[in-house]
Amino acid sequence: MSVLRRRLWPALVLVVTAAVGAGLGTPDRSTPVGASTGDLAPPIAGPTLDGGRFNLADVRGHPVLVNVFASWCGPCRDELPLLAEAGRRGQPAGLRIVGINLRDGPDAVRALLRETGAEAMTVVPDPDGTLAIGWGVRGVPETFLVDRDGRVVDRRQGVVTRQWLEQRLGPLLAG
């Protein structure tokens, strides 16, 4: 082997190795993670905080507000009374409010729901964050609106406001 080839060979191996390594580390963009507007809602199924069971597929035909929250989240605490009120007002139109409780103990969640008047909310515990990851949650609180066909029609990262709920829930409940 010539001197030039001996010097170029290690550089070529390094470039090819780096290119292959970079390609392996690139996420597959053809399979999006999480709930995007227009997509079918990711599944939520499992035991509820009150000892029952919940399956999002069982409430198809109803509009659903999915809220991801935690007792250790101050903004979550602030918005839960608004969600509870929205649930009471939307109940005649079939609205279901479902909370995914992220990385909490049941006693802390029950206390939070009592303090905020949200005891009627169906809560599915998510102790390891698996459900939240499936929905593409980036932080708490995060809220999703699912239409009667099971499609995500809106998403709010951060605290919902009364105005946001009124603007988004009105058309969802009318449909």
Side-chain angles (χ1 to χ4, degrees):
M1 199 183 296
S2 73
V3 173
L4 184 58
R5 282 189 186 166
R6 276 185 286 182
R7 289 185 182 158
L8 288 179
W9 182 249
L12 180 61
V13 168
L14 182 63
V15 168
V16 170
T17 302
V20 169
L24 292 176
T26 303
D28 179 8
R29 303 271 186 230
S30 64
T31 310
V33 174
S36 296
T37 302
D39 291 346
L40 279 176
I44 301 173
T48 60
L49 186 64
D50 65 3
R53 295 202 54 77
F54 178 81
N55 189 330
L56 185 60
D58 292 343
V59 295
R60 178 84 42 100
H62 295 274
V64 181
L65 182 150
V66 177
N67 179 257
V68 185
F69 74 100
S71 68
W72 41 264
C73 164
C76 298
R77 183 174 302 275
D78 294 340
E79 77 177 0
L80 277 172
L82 286 174
L83 297 178
E85 179 186 334
R88 287 188 292 275
R89 289 185 13 196
Q91 188 175 18
L95 178 65
R96 303 293 197 262
I97 306 274
V98 180
I100 297 175
N101 176 248
L102 186 61
R103 301 178 187 217
D104 258 330
D107 292 337
V109 180
R110 285 187 188 100
L112 173 65
L113 296 176
R114 237 183 347 268
E115 290 169 19
T116 59
E119 293 121 317
M121 187 164 83
T122 300
V123 176
V124 178
D126 189 14
D128 61 1
T130 304
L131 288 174
I133 290 169
W135 280 73
V137 171
R138 296 186 182 115
V140 289
E142 196 156 335
T143 303
F144 302 85
L145 296 179
V146 179
D147 70 10
R148 297 172 195 274
D149 296 324
R151 297 203 174 276
V152 175
V153 294
D154 214 326
R155 176 181 191 162
R156 170 78 175 199
Q157 295 173 327
V159 177
V160 298
T161 62
R162 184 176 312 279
Q163 180 182 4
W164 187 88
L165 287 169
E166 288 171 359
Q167 288 175 346
R168 301 323 193 276
L169 283 177
L172 187 65
L173 297 177

